[in-house]
Amino acid sequence: MKLVFGLPHMLRLKAMMQPWEAGVTGAEQTRMAKRADELGYDMIAVPEHIVIPAEHVELSGPHYFQSTIAQAYLAGATERIMLNSCVTVLPLHQPIVLAKALATADWLSGGRMMVTFGVGWLQREFEVLGVPFGERGRIADEYLAAIIELWTCESPRFEGRYVSFSDVAFEPKPVQRPHLPIWIGGDADAALRRAAKFASGWWSFLTPPEQIAERVDFIKSQPEYDGRAFDVVHGMATTRVGEGHVRRHDPHARSGMSGQEIIDRLSWLGEQGVTVSSVPLPAVRGVDEYLDYAQWVIEEIKPNVR
């Protein structure tokens, strides 16, 4: 089981965060990312929203990074750990510019960038940015195809409704081949079909963990799935968050679980097909206590997961 290191204060989501996290600075995040790298965590993943409508701030919080910029910064501060997003809201980005940014960061980091794309759910965010919310799935599919074309073809060419290009050069290409890993976030059938066609991983959010195996079977039953290696992500604390970022209670995602409870839960998730997860944070008082707990997870939990 690969483990994601949850970097505090990448968002202020009421359902998940502890009060001290809002005081964590960028300098402290940098120190924590370096320590996670040293400890052997597999990944840091960066959430993204561009703007949060005022009516959603109470639950969602106002604080989110532009995911690619944050990933690139954290890659520069570390040496081994992979940098992902969870998720980059693809329809809100110009795809050629985004492809360039991700390829640049992958090249400079020696091949440590990943990206999880989603189509978004916050309609007013789309309205503020002038992107048609009802077309976001079609936009995402076209942008994905165009980005892959830019990353993999020596003479990229694409003709679509939302993006077109020809007779252009595009370098650097990503270091990773055929391109940096693309995962898809979301739970609707359309998201899973998108994962089957374009991705090497799926990040589940609202799917109950007992339904993950069934949904993975759905992905792999699609005609576009070609048998490629495929990761499945479900963080243990994910079930604390419901649709619209409302708070939910789940005894299997509570903070302060014993080591054996965490080991048993991660092992059970692995039996459902999950390959990447994260551990709920217990009540701590700040950065140093959190890093001590993060070390305990690596030393006592990870080696014992079946």
Side-chain angles (χ1 to χ4, degrees), residues 73-142:
Y73 172 82
L74 292 168
T78 55
E79 297 181 357
R80 181 202 58 83
I81 200 166
M82 297 295 292
L83 289 309
N84 201 348
S85 61
C86 66
V87 300
T88 299
V89 188
L90 180 56
L92 299 182
H93 294 272
Q94 207 290 334
I96 302 172
V97 175
L98 181 59
K100 174 65 77 170
L102 287 164
T104 298
D106 194 64
W107 194 86
L108 287 169
S109 68
R112 290 193 292 122
M113 291 289 284
M114 306 172 64
V115 65
T116 303
F117 286 132
V119 301
W121 60 274
L122 199 49
Q123 183 167 348
R124 270 246 292 136
E125 184 177 24
F126 280 70
E127 293 169 357
V128 168
L129 289 162
V131 177
F133 184 74
E135 299 176 35
R136 67 194 188 283
R138 293 190 294 275
I139 292 171
D141 287 339
E142 191 170 294

Side-chain angles (χ1 to χ4, degrees), residues 269-287:
L269 287 172
E271 292 168 1
Q272 312 314 304
V274 173
T275 61
V276 183
S277 191
S278 59
V279 175
L281 178 64
V284 296
R285 291 171 293 185
V287 169

Side-chain angles (χ1 to χ4, degrees), residues 141-156:
D141 287 339
E142 191 170 294
Y143 282 8
L144 268 165
I147 287 169
I148 291 171
E149 175 76 7
L150 289 164
W151 283 346
T152 58
C153 293
E154 290 306 312
S155 300

Side-chain angles (χ1 to χ4, degrees), residues 3 36 39-42 293-303:
L3 289 181
L39 287 171
Y41 277 86
D42 298 286
Y293 181 76
Q295 180 173 344
W296 175 80
V297 169
I298 289 296
E299 292 177 350
E300 302 296 333
I301 300 298
K302 190 173 184 180

Side-chain angles (χ1 to χ4, degrees), residues 144-171:
L144 268 165
I147 287 169
I148 291 171
E149 175 76 7
L150 289 164
W151 283 346
T152 58
C153 293
E154 290 306 312
S155 300
R157 182 183 187 89
F158 192 86
E159 185 68 32
R161 177 178 177 184
Y162 303 102
V163 58
S164 298
F165 49 82
S166 61
D167 301 318
V168 296
F170 182 94
E171 289 189 19

